[in-house]
Amino acid sequence: MSFTYIDLFAGIGGFHQAADSLGGKCLLASEIDVEAKRAYTANYNLSPHGDITKIDAKDIPDHDVLLAGFPCQPFSIIGNRLGFDDIRGTLFFEIARILEEKTPRLFVLENVKQLSRHNKGKTLQTIIHTLENLGYKVYWNVLNALDFGLPQKRERTVIVGFLDNDVCFSFPTNKTTGRLEDILEPDEDVDAKFFASERIIEKRLEKHQSKFFPSVWHENKSGNISSYPYSCALRAGASYNYLLVNGRRRLTSREMLRLQGFPDTFKIVCSDSQTRKQAGNAVPVNVIKAVLKDALHAEAEAEGQRRERAV
Ligand SMILES: C[S@@+](CC[C@H](N)C(=O)[O-])C[C@H]1O[C@@H](n2cnc3c(N)ncnc32)[C@H](O)[C@@H]1O
């Protein structure tokens, strides 16, 4: 199955990984962060354009599929500043603007789980109505990376739209949890800088004994510790210090990338702190791969049925 796509708010290319593995060819990426751009260029041999708000939609090449993990900040703007009937001025509008001009046959968008509940669901409804008004048949769901072979509890709102309104789509319901064992590097290979001090390790052990090994320990803001045979959601910011493998050490950059489904062929060219931020921002590759694969099949099926009816 070959198709062309564009990768907006591209980060380090979680969408890119998924799309290329299904036969996609990226025609344009857009990403504003200099370090993420550096990582993207090193890995995909394609240098992302910068700020999407500065790109004229007419300059974007025709493409089959639009992929975008738009930043979660704008939806609170939708709710708090502009009201729910006006999405102008938000980064979601950039997607709508490009869809309107380029009319790709399919799009897949991703955002945080909270988008689906924001202002009692009205924000998401506004987004869906906007997409439907552009002629798309739209589906959405909240999917968890844990169900797609990754040992990370990461729930995300995924929105899929088809220009072909005959398409019938249902979201994949995989239920394969990945094993933490397959993600973790052996402790002896991990740099000493990732290990907590003996004092911190002892303090944690006084508070918590894990039922699981290996496990990722998570300390919440009130200091309560829980541990599971999977990681809680990686975040671009604070979570790093609160996640400890077996209560002893932080996750390495490679482990974080693996938790998001990036293969080990992904080149780490940025610092650990930048890679940690990038991995925390990324979309779980396995989730997008499963959704995109089913979406492309659903399209092909609708086309096949049309052809059958025509003969
Ligand atoms: C949630 S992250 C998406 C990450 C991506 N899906 C991945 O797998 O790495 C959102 C990204 O949008 C980028 N961004 C924010 N504003 C932007 C803009 N105006 N133009 C282009 N990129 C932007 C951020 O730097 C961030 O990397």
Side-chain angles (χ1 to χ4, degrees), residues 9-15 30-33 50-52 69 71 91 281-283:
F9 309 102
I12 53 168
F15 278 103
S30 159
E31 168 56 52
I32 206 166
D33 182 88
D51 190 347
I52 190 68
L91 287 173
N281 259 333
V283 68

Side-chain angles (χ1 to χ4, degrees), residues 27-295:
L27 300 184
L28 174 138
S30 159
E31 168 56 52
I32 206 166
D33 182 88
V34 173
E35 287 293 301
K37 282 172 90 166
R38 198 156 74 80
Y40 198 101
T41 308
N43 277 285
Y44 309 118
N45 209 13
L46 187 152
S47 181
H49 293 256
D51 190 347
I52 190 68
T53 65
K54 307 274 189 295
I55 301 177
D56 188 332
K58 291 195 171 61
D59 295 337
I60 293 177
D62 292 341
H63 51 276
D64 299 314
V65 184
L66 179 148
L67 302 170
F70 58 111
C72 49
Q73 172 260 343
F75 75 77
S76 54
I77 298 177
I78 298 174
N80 299 335
R81 280 213 241 140
L82 297 171
F84 295 99
D85 298 327
D86 190 352
I87 49 131
R88 281 172 298 166
T90 69
L91 287 173
F92 168 73
F93 177 70
E94 299 301 319
I95 296 169
R97 174 175 73 83
I98 293 164
L99 287 174
E100 188 171 15
E101 173 69 30
K102 303 304 300 183
T103 60
R105 56 176 226 238
L106 171 68
F107 64 74
V108 182
L109 314 180
E110 179 256 0
N111 207 293
V112 293
K113 179 190 177 185
Q114 289 83 334
L115 173 65
S116 64
R117 299 190 300 222
H118 187 256
N119 196 31
K120 302 192 181 110
K122 289 182 192 159
T123 303
L124 181 60
Q125 279 315 310
T126 301
I127 287 173
I128 288 170
H129 285 152
T130 304
L131 297 167
E132 285 173 343
N133 285 340
L134 292 171
Y136 287 90
K137 187 169 180 188
V138 182
Y139 296 81
W140 73 273
N141 209 337
V142 173
L143 301 178
N144 190 342
L146 261 190
D147 296 330
F148 292 84
L150 294 172
Q152 181 193 179
K153 185 174 179 223
R154 187 179 187 87
E155 294 174 289
R156 286 297 189 263
T157 305
V158 181
I159 308 170
V160 181
F162 301 88
L163 202 56
D164 178 352
N165 280 216
D166 288 343
V167 173
C168 281
F169 175 71
S170 46
F171 279 91
T173 50
N174 301 29
K175 287 282 175 215
T176 40
T177 304
R179 290 163 9 119
L180 202 48
E181 292 89 313
D182 298 335
I183 295 292
L184 297 176
E185 301 189 270
D187 273 1
E188 53 274 25
D189 294 351
V190 173
D191 194 291
K193 71 181 180 189
F194 289 99
F195 285 81
S197 68
E198 282 308 318
R199 194 180 61 81
I200 287 180
I201 293 172
E202 271 167 34
K203 259 181 75 183
R204 302 244 165 162
L205 274 173
E206 279 166 20
K207 282 199 206 170
H208 184 77
Q209 306 281 320
S210 185
K211 283 191 280 184
F212 308 104
F213 188 88
S215 59
V216 176
W217 297 33
H218 172 252
E219 185 173 347
N220 70 12
K221 279 189 188 140
S222 345
N224 293 323
I225 298 173
S226 51
S227 63
Y228 300 98
Y230 52 80
S231 169
C232 64
L234 299 181
R235 286 164 38 199
S239 70
Y240 175 65
N241 286 322
Y242 299 107
L243 295 181
L244 286 185
V245 176
N246 298 321
R248 297 180 55 80
R249 66 165 178 85
R250 297 175 177 94
L251 290 155
T252 65
S253 293
R254 180 58 70 199
E255 288 169 340
M256 289 191 201
L257 289 163
R258 287 178 182 165
L259 282 171
Q260 292 284 44
F262 284 73
D264 283 4
T265 47
F266 184 89
K267 296 185 205 100
I268 299 174
V269 296
C270 300
S271 66
D272 281 326
S273 69
Q274 283 297 332
T275 307
R276 181 161 72 242
K277 177 178 151 199
Q278 292 161 1
N281 259 333
V283 68
V285 175
N286 300 26
V287 173
I288 297 305
K289 186 172 172 184
V291 170
L292 188 54
K293 187 172 169 212
D294 285 8

